[in-house]
Amino acid sequence: MVGYDDNKEQLLKRLRRAEGQVRGIHRMVEEDTYCIDVLTQVSAATKALESVALALLDDHLSHCVAEASREGGAVADEKIREASAAIARLVRS
């Protein structure tokens, strides 16, 4: 079982919304929409994807990392390094 199993439908709903936003941006560019309006929609789509990423990260920490921490040892160390790397990627993007 993956950590986001309990929130899967909510995540899929958010992803469908982001997908619709990206299709809307594509249409706006095809229709030569004013660049500031396109940028506003890009920002909204980015925030939608960030919301999904943060929800996944929260689920990973509360499920996968917490479970590994209970096991301890090398498994816990690896999950913590993995989570730290994921957080670093999110912060850089």
Side-chain angles (χ1 to χ4, degrees), residues 11-86:
L11 289 170
L12 289 171
K13 182 179 177 181
R14 288 180 178 181
L15 286 168
R16 283 190 293 273
R17 190 175 314 127
E19 182 180 17
Q21 287 174 309
V22 171
R23 279 195 308 271
I25 293 166
H26 184 271
R27 190 171 35 258
M28 291 173 81
V29 170
E30 284 183 335
E31 296 171 357
D32 298 323
T33 302
Y34 184 58
C35 53
I36 295 300
D37 295 336
V38 176
L39 288 170
T40 299
Q41 292 307 309
V42 168
S43 178
T46 300
K47 293 295 180 195
L49 288 174
E50 286 174 354
S51 171
V52 170
L54 290 173
L56 285 168
L57 180 61
D58 184 58
D59 287 339
H60 181 67
L61 291 172
S62 62
H63 180 265
C64 302
V65 175
E67 186 176 305
S69 292
R70 284 188 289 275
E71 289 181 32
V75 172
D77 292 342
E78 176 57 30
K79 287 294 180 188
I80 290 170
R81 274 193 298 275
E82 182 182 72
S84 181

